[in-house]
Each structure stands twice: as structure tokens, then as C-alpha cells.
Amino acid sequence: MDLGTIWFILWGVLWAVYFILDGFDLGLGTLLPFLAKTEDEKRTFYNAMGPFWDGNEVWLITAGGVTFAAFPTTYAVMFSGLYSALMLLLFSLIIRGVCFEFRSKVESPGWKKLWDTCLFIGSFAPALLLGVAFANIFKGIPIDQDHIFQGTLFTLLNPYGLAGGILFVLLFAHHGALWLAIKSEGSLRERAFAMAAKLWPIMAGWIVLFLVYSMFATNLFSNYLRWPLLLAILLIPVGGLVLTKVYAAKARAWAAWAASAAVIGGTALFGVMGIFPALLPSSLSPAFSMTIENSSSSPLTLSIMLGVALVFVPVVIAYQIWNFRTFRHPVTKDDLDYEEAY
């Protein structure tokens, strides 16, 4: 296997890890107006995300950095062609980050409501935009022979792109509900499980519809017809979907959340392997697509990057395991009374 292919696979894995980790706090913020009834419950939402959300976004930076360093031409086309969508994503994430810092600064209901609304927008919008962006990548975006994007923000808001956006919102909201079940107690925990149970059939049905839609709107299945063994990837999200339902019914929150992570990660990998070897397929002509061959860095650069990744990625993983173990307990009244709590 050549270095370009190795980095293509790592590129897909990094995006999958990001969707799994940031997915639950984006979903949690999206559910805030629907599940939190009291001030303590709202603060439980914030403190359920607090120790994790910024660490989770490290994987977004890593995935973007890998795109820049390993596939610089693809990075240039992606960040110039999808500029408006990416700026909306960036502003949404900034708004969400500010909510954690500002909400507790003033004891005013109006002030807190303002930042609760911003947290909802800053969580819902990134989930929707990421889904729209990746659905368009799966479908192919209008790149011409000079690798220039021939479209606008509204070009991306096509029916298939919006279907991908709704898919991501549902996946992340379900993932967030299960995380809330892990991090809460009492009636809020029961409502979190109830919300996950309500979302499950909608999410499962939408996944099926999206796969059928993908058969007609994209070439995602061509690689799977060419190499049928790749269909084994589908076992990850399908198995995860079934186990999520089983574990949630038994109120085993951690197991259900892990199965939900398999659904999100498996779905992302299914899409990424479907577009191989293109990183940005062109909807105008396959010859105009950004591929491993025409956009990867030099073998020396890819070799150095691989060495750096083998050293530092385990460090990041070790830190996140420590973080999750340290803050794995439910948010209690004592946690809310802590002076550094949100």
C-alpha cells in the first residue's frame, strides 16, 4: 500500500473520530431546549459537555491539518470552494465556545436564555452544515478542469445535501441523548433515554432512505460492487444500530453510547471508502476530481507526517482516555456547586 493510500485511510478515520466525539456534544446542545426544564438541568447539560467539547474539536483541527499537509491541492479547492459553508461552521463553533464562558457571568434570566439559544444554534448549525458538506462530497461538487468550484452556497443546499444534513442532526441528537443518560441522574436521565428511544426509529428509517437515495444520486456503491469485501464495513453501523436499541432498552448507557459511536463511525467510513480514490469527486466530470494521485504531497512529506503521527496521535488518544475516565461520573449537585462549574 502506497503512502497516499495510507493517508487517505487515515484522513477518513480522523473525520470518523471527530464525528463520534464532537457528535455527542453537538447533539447535546441541540437537545437543550427540548429536555432541560430547570436551571440545574440546563447547567447539567453544560457540565456534561464542559470537560470534553474543546478536546473533541482537536480532531476537527487534526483532520483539517491532515488535509492541508497530505493533500494540499484538495485543501485549497475545498476551503475556497466551500468557503461560505466553512465560515458559517466556524462562526457557529465560536458562538458555542463563547456560551461556556459567558453564560454564568451574569445572574439574569434573559442573559442565560440568550446564551442557551446561542448554544442551540451553535450546536444544531454545525451538525447540519457538516452533513450538507459531506453529502455534497459524496455526491460530487462542481469542480471544473482548473479545479475551480463552479457554484455557490445555494448549490450545496440541494435535496441530497439537505438529506445528509438531516441525517447528521439525527445521528448526533441520538448520540447526545445517550451521553446525557450517562451524565445525568433521576428524571433527566429517564427523559434522555426516552428521547433516544423516540429518535431511534426516525434515525434508522432516515439512514435507510439516505442509503437508497445514495444509490441513485451518487457513485458511492461503485467501489462496493467492484470490491464486495468492502461491504463488511456496513456491518459496523448496522450492528451498532441494533445494539444501540438493545442496550438503551436495558438502560446500559455506556454500552448504548459505544454502539451509537459505531453507527456514526461506520457510516462515515462507508461514505469515505465509497469515494476512494477521490477526496473531492467532481460532479462535472470524473476527470476533474481531486484524487490521491493529483493532490497528495511528496513521498518525503508523507513519510515525515507518518512518523510524527505515530508519535503524537497515541499521546492525544492517551490524554482523551484519561479525560473520559476522570469525568465519566454523572453530574451531581456537588459538581454544580463547584466554583469552576459552568
Side-chain angles (χ1 to χ4, degrees):
M1 186 181 296
D2 62 88
L3 283 168
T5 302
I6 291 172
W7 272 107
F8 179 91
I9 294 171
L10 291 175
W11 177 75
V13 169
L14 287 171
W15 279 111
V17 171
Y18 169 67
F19 293 147
I20 290 169
L21 293 181
D22 212 23
F24 75 77
D25 56 57
L26 291 174
L28 207 49
T30 302
L31 293 177
L32 176 70
F34 308 103
L35 287 179
K37 295 181 178 178
T38 65
E39 173 63 12
D40 278 356
E41 288 181 353
K42 290 175 183 175
R43 292 187 64 207
T44 299
F45 269 72
Y46 280 86
N47 287 281
M49 289 184 269
F52 308 101
W53 71 272
D54 46 358
N56 294 340
E57 290 186 359
V58 166
W59 294 96
L60 173 63
I61 297 169
T62 306
V66 164
T67 311
F68 170 74
F71 306 103
T73 313
T74 293
Y75 179 90
V77 174
M78 179 184 289
F79 279 76
S80 58
L82 306 180
Y83 184 79
S84 300
L86 290 171
M87 288 304 292
L88 285 174
L89 173 66
L90 179 61
F91 287 135
S92 300
L93 293 175
I94 289 173
I95 288 173
R96 189 170 63 123
V98 171
C99 293
F100 289 93
E101 302 300 328
F102 280 16
R103 185 181 187 275
S104 60
K105 300 299 183 188
V106 177
E107 289 301 323
S108 159
W111 177 264
K112 293 181 184 299
K113 186 175 182 180
L114 168 67
W115 293 112
D116 291 343
T117 303
C118 288
L119 183 70
F120 168 74
I121 294 171
S123 301
F124 173 80
L128 184 71
L129 290 167
L130 285 166
V132 168
F134 271 81
N136 275 282
I137 289 173
F138 297 156
K139 176 176 175 287
I141 58 178
I143 305 170
D144 66 15
Q145 65 275 19
D146 297 319
H147 298 155
I148 296 173
F149 177 69
Q150 298 294 331
T152 65
L153 176 63
F154 296 104
T155 306
L156 305 175
L157 301 178
N158 55 74
Y160 184 74
L162 292 172
I166 294 171
L167 175 67
F168 271 47
V169 170
L170 289 171
L171 285 170
F172 291 174
H174 180 259
H175 204 38
L178 293 173
W179 184 255
L180 181 62
I182 291 171
K183 296 291 291 180
S184 61
E185 297 178 313
S187 61
L188 184 58
R189 186 172 190 264
E190 292 172 5
R191 271 180 273 144
F193 272 126
M195 177 59 77
K198 288 178 184 174
L199 287 172
W200 191 91
I202 302 171
M203 177 185 67
W206 198 262
I207 290 173
V208 173
L209 288 174
F210 188 76
L211 283 173
V212 173
Y213 196 177
S214 298
M215 292 175 67
F216 297 98
T218 74
N219 293 318
L220 277 184
F221 287 88
S222 57
N223 280 344
Y224 294 93
L225 295 174
R226 188 176 176 189
W227 300 299
L229 281 177
L230 284 177
L231 286 169
I233 295 174
L234 270 180
L235 294 176
I236 302 173
V238 172
L241 201 57
V242 174
L243 290 175
T244 300
K245 178 76 172 174
V246 172
Y247 289 136
K250 295 179 179 177
R252 294 178 58 184
W254 273 107
W257 183 82
S260 174
V263 176
I264 295 173
T267 302
L269 289 177
F270 177 79
V272 170
M273 293 312 296
I275 62 174
F276 177 85
L279 291 97
L280 284 182
S282 170
S283 59
L284 303 179
S285 168
F288 305 155
S289 297
M290 304 304 303
T291 65
I292 296 172
E293 184 179 2
N294 66 16
S295 70
S296 60
S297 295
S298 68
L300 176 61
T301 301
L302 296 178
S303 298
I304 293 172
M305 285 177 60
L306 194 59
V308 172
L310 288 173
V311 172
F312 288 104
V313 170
V315 174
V316 175
I317 293 173
Y319 163 75
Q320 290 217 287
I321 290 173
W322 172 84
N323 191 33
F324 273 70
R325 282 184 59 81
T326 303
F327 296 101
R328 65 185 182 279
H329 60 278
V331 178
T332 63
K333 188 70 171 61
D334 289 341
D335 294 310
L336 297 181
D337 290 340
Y338 183 56
E339 62 179 354
E340 296 295 331
Y342 294 105

